[in-house]
Amino acid sequence: MRNTITIAGKEFKSYLASPMAYIVTGIFLIATGFFFSISPATYTETSINGFLQAGVILLLLFAPLLTMRLLAEERKLGTIELLLTAPVRDSEIILGKFLGGLGILTVMLGLTLYYPLLLIIFGDPDMGPIGAGYLGLLLLGYTALAIGIFTSSLTSNQIVAAVVAIGILLALYFVGFAASFLPEALGEVIGYFSLSNYFPDFMRGIVDTRGIIYYLSITALFLFLAIRSLENSRWS
Amino acid sequence: MIKVKNLTKYYGSRLAVDNISFNVAKGEIVGFLGPNAAGKTTTMRILTGFMMPTRGDVWVAGYDMLSHSLEARQHIGYFAEAVPLYTDMTVRSYLDFLARLRGLDKNRIKTRIGDVVGICHLEEYIDVLIGKLSKGFRQRVGVAQAIIHEPEVLILDEPTVGIDPIQVAMTRQLIKELGKEHTVLLSTHILPEVSMTCGRVIIIHEGRIAAEDSIENLASMIGGAKRIRLEVAGPSQQVAERLRQIKGVQRVSYQDSDYTVECAAGQDPRGQIMEAIVRSGWSLLSLESIEMSLEDIFLKLTTEEETNR
């Protein structure tokens, strides 16, 4: 646990020291701010749905840009040798990296809180959907981070890591839309595995346990795969 | 301290280390010598727990590397050949990070950072970003991180490659100092380095141990064959011919007026050589006997292996 926190702290600090996190956060804020300000939902429903709808897609594209360096860069620079020869478990390394990314992503989403704040100042928004929407966005973001860490563990090329992660995320997201074209039973099963299946409920203010369990399971699955991939590199 | 038994490592189908066994006792400084791609780095990476062997057993500091890797790693300091450093960290934060991963508490980290920075002469650079340091200083940061947790075993993979001669001398001195308190396995392909720092040598070639002994024993093992170098003013071919006739001389090679005479084991024909040259009316400009150097031992071992196959 101590090692996990040490690694998480180091990763969080190096995010603050490198331009990538600022660029990603900056673009994320500009883009979501744009959609928030032009969305009719902002004015007619005093909801943050305009921001949330854009935020989901942007997270799928940007979270991998935050995670791509976490392991691929260590492999490229050879610093992975320091981590793997330190008395630290492989799981502590992966969890530490994940928590570091989670920290920066949470800060990034925290900076968007002025959207609901504006609604509160100038209107009377329903806080339920806002809270639930943020919860959904965080959960989805953490899932994206886990997938990004997994692909980063596979290669020493950061670009490859990011592109593959974005590919997996988009596939998991859009498979839900494809489900409607399939026979009912099959479509329903596939729908359960889709990242997009659970998010609308959160936006409506419904905190569905199935959704929470789904996001946490996918996160855990990919963190587990990342740990295995790191272990595996010792044997190759 | 280090015990390796029947260690074998394949990368896919390529054999990198082929069934090697050796021991390093507490307090020893052992040179791990071999040409590039001989399997030195692979062996060291297995000793430090970075990689798992395909077959064989490794114990470091009394722990089985396969089943108790975490405990073993606690007692190892490792200088990796690539000198892995986080270039976006300062020397201080880098050392602090690695000391924490190795389980040192806050106060201990503070004193140890002070210690190792002193040992490695990094005082002025402690708050400089590692990315801004020159190669030689990075090398020192690499050594500093290896000793910060006072490990019982130090594994140093080519610590003097790519730095200037003054720093090389400093690093060697440092290794000697460290050898007083630590068990050291030092890999290198620079031969004089080994004779300067190590008590014992393990020569590895194409994944196998070609020889293992003290430097003096290795020299005598290969045959006390002496070599004599001379400079003679006279007709080269005739001089060489005359030298070959002397009893105890095995082989003569020459270039211009420089001759190298290889003698049979146990023979020292220097007196006869001098006499023969003077009698023939040539002048002997110089004559010296050459001890077998580590280079010779090394070349002999690694090239003989090839001709045997």
Side-chain angles (χ1 to χ4, degrees):
Chain A
M1 194 59 204
R2 203 185 110 147
N3 292 330
T4 307
I5 291 166
T6 303
I7 293 171
K10 185 231 154 212
E11 290 306 335
F12 189 75
K13 274 184 220 150
S14 59
Y15 274 126
L16 297 184
S18 80
M20 192 49 141
Y22 295 101
I23 295 170
V24 167
T25 307
I27 298 176
F28 184 79
L29 287 176
I30 292 169
T32 54
F34 172 75
F35 284 107
F36 175 70
S37 65
I38 63 157
S39 168
T42 307
Y43 309 100
T44 57
E45 310 165 5
T46 54
S47 80
I48 55 166
N49 285 356
F51 152 63
L52 291 176
Q53 274 160 347
V56 169
I57 301 290
L58 288 168
L59 267 190
L60 300 182
L61 299 175
F62 284 5
L65 298 180
L66 292 174
T67 54
M68 64 182 188
R69 51 165 278 276
L70 287 174
L71 287 150
E73 189 182 54
E74 300 255 10
R75 224 171 260 295
K76 183 116 193 168
L77 298 177
T79 45
I80 192 89
E81 226 168 330
L82 289 168
L83 286 180
L84 291 185
T85 58
V88 179
R89 289 189 176 79
D90 293 350
S91 54
E92 292 173 324
I93 297 174
I94 297 293
L95 283 181
K97 300 257 173 197
F98 175 68
L99 289 180
L102 188 147
I104 204 75
L105 189 86
T106 307
V107 169
M108 185 170 101
L109 290 178
L111 291 174
T112 66
L113 281 174
Y114 77 90
Y115 305 148
L117 198 65
L118 285 174
L119 293 182
I120 292 167
I121 293 169
F122 295 105
D124 184 20
D126 183 354
M127 291 310 285
I130 292 176
Y134 266 98
L135 178 65
L137 208 55
L138 280 172
L139 287 170
L140 185 98
Y142 299 162
T143 308
L145 290 178
I147 291 175
I149 286 175
F150 167 64
T151 61
S152 184
S153 75
L154 298 174
T155 170
S156 59
N157 186 324
Q158 295 190 38
I159 306 296
V160 170
V163 169
V164 173
I166 291 171
I168 294 175
L169 284 164
L170 290 180
L172 275 176
Y173 188 79
F174 287 110
V175 76
F177 299 108
S180 55
F181 297 106
L182 293 167
E184 203 172 322
L186 183 64
E188 201 171 335
V189 172
I190 287 181
Y192 281 127
F193 288 98
S194 171
L195 279 176
S196 56
N197 192 33
Y198 303 92
F199 200 74
D201 275 349
F202 283 102
M203 270 182 5
R204 280 194 290 270
I206 304 163
V207 178
D208 186 350
T209 329
R210 281 185 311 171
I212 296 177
I213 291 173
Y214 167 79
Y215 288 126
L216 293 182
S217 312
I218 300 282
T219 306
L221 171 70
F222 278 95
L223 289 178
F224 172 75
L225 290 176
I227 295 167
R228 292 312 303 267
S229 143
L230 198 61
E231 277 172 10
N232 199 45
S233 69
R234 292 180 190 273
W235 293 94
S236 59
Chain B
M1 269 295 129
I2 302 174
K3 197 170 155 194
V4 174
K5 217 174 138 193
N6 303 328
L7 180 71
T8 299
K9 176 73 184 180
Y10 280 92
Y11 291 119
S13 62
R14 193 173 71 81
L15 180 61
V17 174
D18 185 4
N19 201 30
I20 67 172
S21 303
F22 63 87
N23 292 312
V24 180
K26 197 177 164 76
E28 262 192 305
I29 305 186
V30 172
F32 203 49
L33 197 66
N36 292 325
K40 294 179 306 231
T41 297
T42 302
T43 307
M44 293 188 137
R45 283 179 160 179
I46 292 168
L47 286 176
T48 53
F50 179 64
M51 278 196 297
M52 292 294 173
T54 311
R55 276 194 299 277
D57 294 300
V58 175
W59 290 268
V60 180
Y63 294 99
D64 185 337
M65 207 69 213
L66 280 161
S67 57
H68 293 81
S69 176
L70 280 182
E71 290 89 338
R73 283 187 245 160
Q74 194 86 50
H75 300 281
I76 299 171
Y78 177 37
F79 179 97
E81 190 186 6
V83 203
L85 301 165
Y86 294 108
T87 46
D88 60 347
M89 289 176 115
T90 63
V91 174
R92 191 196 299 276
S93 54
Y94 175 79
L95 292 175
D96 176 79
F97 173 61
L98 288 165
R100 273 205 268 171
L101 284 187
R102 289 160 190 166
L104 273 61
D105 66 46
K106 254 195 170 148
N107 292 326
R108 195 64 203 301
I109 291 176
K110 219 175 159 192
T111 45
R112 282 303 292 164
I113 287 182
D115 293 350
V116 297
V117 159
I119 293 170
C120 301
H121 303 288
L122 285 162
E123 293 93 342
E124 291 164 48
Y125 302 92
I126 182 151
D127 289 313
V128 174
L129 283 179
I130 292 172
K132 298 216 187 301
L133 293 179
S134 71
K135 176 100 175 133
F137 283 103
R138 291 185 188 202
Q139 212 96 347
R140 290 192 215 170
V141 178
V143 175
Q145 71 62 40
I147 59 177
I148 192 151
H149 54 307
E150 297 181 279
E152 293 174 54
V153 177
L154 266 180
I155 293 181
L156 308 173
D157 196 356
E158 311 228 348
T160 57
V161 169
I163 52 178
D164 71 51
I166 298 167
Q167 290 176 328
V168 168
M170 255 179 61
T171 310
R172 285 180 190 152
Q173 191 54 40
L174 179 63
I175 293 166
K176 267 190 175 167
E177 291 290 319
L178 292 171
K180 288 175 188 162
E181 287 161 39
H182 307 260
T183 302
V184 183
L185 184 65
L186 166 76
S187 108
T188 177
H189 62 262
I190 305 164
L191 299 156
E193 191 158 294
V194 173
S195 34
M196 270 178 248
T197 47
C198 303
R200 197 155 63 90
V201 199
I202 296 168
I203 296 178
I204 180 167
H205 182 58
E206 296 191 339
R208 272 173 293 173
I209 291 182
E212 180 188 353
D213 215 328
S214 68
I215 293 165
E216 300 83 48
N217 285 355
L218 275 179
S220 60
M221 186 185 85
I222 286 187
K226 205 182 195 71
R227 282 198 297 174
I228 298 164
R229 191 182 296 152
L230 32 144
E231 202 183 341
V232 180
S236 300
Q237 246 173 337
Q238 287 171 34
V239 174
E241 204 43 55
R242 179 73 191 85
L243 287 171
R244 286 195 187 98
Q245 288 163 8
I246 296 166
K247 192 170 166 277
V249 171
Q250 256 183 345
R251 208 180 322 158
V252 178
S253 55
Y254 63 88
Q255 194 173 22
D256 300 329
S257 58
D258 292 319
Y259 301 80
T260 306
V261 176
E262 276 180 48
C263 312
Q267 299 278 348
D268 188 359
R270 276 180 290 181
Q272 288 98 298
I273 290 175
M274 236 186 276
E275 207 181 311
I277 288 169
V278 174
R279 284 239 174 117
S280 311
W282 304 316
S283 23
L284 181 61
L285 302 176
S286 78
L287 181 147
E288 58 175 333
S289 131
I290 319 163
E291 289 300 322
M292 202 68 159
S293 72
L294 200 52
E295 266 95 346
D296 303 318
I297 298 171
F298 182 71
L299 270 177
K300 197 151 180 173
L301 282 168
T302 51
T303 48
E304 258 175 21
E305 277 240 328
E306 261 153 33
T307 46
N308 283 349
R309 240 176 295 156

